[in-house]
Amino acid sequence: MTNQDYGKLVNEKSKPSPMGKNMVWAFLVGGAICTLGQGLLNLFQNYGLDKEKAGTAVSVTLIFAAALLTGLGVFDKLAKRAGAGTLVPITGFANAMVSPALEFKSEGLITGTAAKLFTVAGPVLVFGISASVIYGLILCLLKAF
């Protein structure tokens, strides 16, 4: 069987993805997470925190909630249905950190959890930091000329 024949077979057997339904779920869940974040920001500001400290408190709260829900197995079920709606906000980063740690905990604290903690999030951090440095250098060069 050639690669082209195999590709035809796969396309014939696989059912089409309900893209419209998936986009609506991603929009609704992502919007709900962001709405929750805005509600937490307003709540923390009502308790007397300034906007910057309230923003930090919101980030910490959302990261903690996503990590806890990942540990309980709830976040993964939600992410299956919502897709990118859970990945884009900061909650996706928390899930990306906790999931590998949970998956490899049976291998031990050092060789399992600690070694695999950055399996998913590590490349994201490396590329994100690298991109920010490159963009910063480009901006400095553009301002110099």
Side-chain angles (χ1 to χ4, degrees):
M1 181 179 279
T2 66
N3 285 341
Q4 292 172 341
D5 292 336
Y6 180 72
K8 277 184 184 178
L9 180 65
V10 168
N11 287 335
E12 289 172 6
K13 298 293 181 184
S14 61
K15 56 183 183 175
S17 174
M19 190 165 32
K21 179 181 163 187
N22 292 345
M23 288 189 312
V24 169
W25 267 106
F27 177 78
L28 291 175
V29 173
I33 292 170
C34 293
T35 302
L36 174 66
Q38 184 63 47
L40 287 170
L41 181 71
N42 294 343
L43 180 72
F44 290 136
Q45 284 180 322
N46 285 340
Y47 281 122
L49 295 177
D50 63 31
K51 190 169 185 170
E52 186 177 331
K53 289 180 183 174
T56 302
V58 169
S59 296
V60 169
T61 303
L62 288 176
I63 289 170
F64 174 77
L68 179 65
L69 291 175
T70 298
L72 296 174
V74 174
F75 194 89
D76 292 333
K77 291 176 185 172
L78 178 65
K80 250 185 212 176
R81 190 170 252 313
T86 57
L87 298 177
V88 174
I90 196 167
T91 54
F93 179 76
N95 178 261
M97 292 292 293
V98 174
S99 292
L102 289 173
E103 185 177 342
F104 294 101
K105 70 180 180 182
S106 62
E107 294 181 20
L109 183 63
I110 302 299
T111 59
T113 302
K116 303 294 184 179
L117 191 61
F118 291 100
T119 302
V120 175
V124 173
L125 291 172
V126 169
F127 288 115
I129 292 168
S130 300
S132 66
V133 169
I134 291 169
Y135 296 149
L137 290 173
I138 291 171
L139 184 62
C140 285
L141 289 174
L142 289 175
K143 284 187 177 182
F145 296 108

